[in-house]
Amino acid sequence: KQNTMDLVIGDGAYIINVEKGADYPYIEYIDGRDCTFEYKGDRITAVIINKNYEYKNKLYECYERRSTRRVYDEELGKYKEIATIEYRLFVQPSNKSWNEVKINSIPQTENLKNLEYPNLPFMLAVPCVREMNAETKRGESIYTGCSELFDDLDQALSIESNTYRASV
């Protein structure tokens, strides 16, 4: 489900989750505040989802990197792309720099394991970028350039309100 804040952010990603035992995969939307993109030239090659956790009064940040990797398939006798999901966990001890720790260091991430899907030749994330800004390499908000219009509307409503009060 996409909410109206996504129009303000301007980018994000739909991620495809495959769970063992489930009949179908499910799709989840992550807005641009919680994901970043890796580029190779002008092409997005990976989506990194940031999830924050707190455990025993320490802050943790888990990076979930979704991309494809090129591997050699001996049966086919050629290279092919496979989908990968890689996890990294960082801790911030008492407002110092972030340090990488083992993924099983906290209960929220202890069951996460790096995954490979050899039968899926595509990234399990679909980046969504509205009107790419070349400088920031991020999507532009739907409201970009509209602040003057909102100011004009606010001023018109204020004048109307003042006129009504003065006439009563």
Side-chain angles (χ1 to χ4, degrees), residues 34-49:
D34 297 323
C35 69
T36 55
F37 305 126
E38 283 183 13
Y39 290 87
K40 192 172 206 176
D42 288 339
R43 193 172 75 99
I44 295 174
T45 57
V47 174
I48 301 170
I49 296 114

Side-chain angles (χ1 to χ4, degrees), residues 80-131:
K80 70 176 189 175
E81 297 284 321
I82 63 169
T84 63
I85 301 175
E86 301 165 294
Y87 297 97
R88 294 176 71 189
L89 184 65
F90 295 86
V91 64
Q92 185 182 29
S94 61
N95 295 328
K96 294 180 182 174
S97 64
W98 292 89
N99 299 321
E100 188 167 3
V101 294
K102 292 182 179 180
I103 197 71
N104 62 358
S105 298
I106 60 174
Q108 296 93 324
T109 61
E110 67 185 356
N111 294 323
L112 296 178
K113 294 183 179 13
N114 293 343
L115 301 170
E116 291 184 349
Y117 296 93
N119 296 326
L120 298 174
F122 50 83
M123 182 171 39
L124 292 173
V126 179
C128 300
V129 180
R130 184 191 172 280
E131 300 285 328

Side-chain angles (χ1 to χ4, degrees), residues 80 90 143 161-163:
K80 70 176 189 175
F90 295 86
Y143 300 116
S161 176
N162 290 337
T163 305

Side-chain angles (χ1 to χ4, degrees), residues 7-165:
L7 299 174
V8 175
I9 303 304
D11 58 23
Y14 288 95
I15 59 172
I16 302 163
N17 294 307
V18 181
E19 290 184 355
K20 286 185 179 178
D23 292 335
Y24 302 102
Y26 66 94
I27 298 173
E28 180 182 357
Y29 183 78
I30 307 293
D31 80 30
R33 292 172 291 190
D34 297 323
C35 69
T36 55
F37 305 126
E38 283 183 13
Y39 290 87
K40 192 172 206 176
D42 288 339
R43 193 172 75 99
I44 295 174
T45 57
V47 174
I48 301 170
I49 296 114
N50 311 321
K51 294 183 181 177
N52 297 308
Y53 302 102
E54 190 172 336
Y55 181 69
K56 293 187 177 180
N57 296 324
K58 290 184 182 176
L59 295 175
Y60 291 86
E61 188 164 74
C62 181
Y63 291 156
E64 178 180 322
R65 184 178 183 273
R66 291 173 176 246
S67 64
T68 58
R69 189 163 51 94
R70 194 171 177 188
V71 296
Y72 187 77
D73 187 332
E74 292 183 17
E75 288 181 20
L76 296 174
K78 62 180 181 178
Y79 285 94
K80 70 176 189 175
E81 297 284 321
I82 63 169
T84 63
I85 301 175
E86 301 165 294
Y87 297 97
R88 294 176 71 189
L89 184 65
F90 295 86
V91 64
Q92 185 182 29
S94 61
N95 295 328
K96 294 180 182 174
S97 64
W98 292 89
N99 299 321
E100 188 167 3
V101 294
K102 292 182 179 180
I103 197 71
N104 62 358
S105 298
I106 60 174
Q108 296 93 324
T109 61
E110 67 185 356
N111 294 323
L112 296 178
K113 294 183 179 13
N114 293 343
L115 301 170
E116 291 184 349
Y117 296 93
N119 296 326
L120 298 174
F122 50 83
M123 182 171 39
L124 292 173
V126 179
C128 300
V129 180
R130 184 191 172 280
E131 300 285 328
M132 174 72 86
N133 181 323
E135 291 177 17
T136 62
K137 292 218 174 202
R138 298 303 304 237
E140 295 231 341
S141 166
I142 195 168
Y143 300 116
T144 300
C146 295
S147 61
E148 296 83 18
L149 295 174
F150 287 118
D151 290 341
D152 292 345
L153 178 61
D154 181 52
Q155 185 177 5
L157 292 173
S158 295
I159 291 170
E160 180 182 7
S161 176
N162 290 337
T163 305
Y164 177 75
R165 271 187 246 129

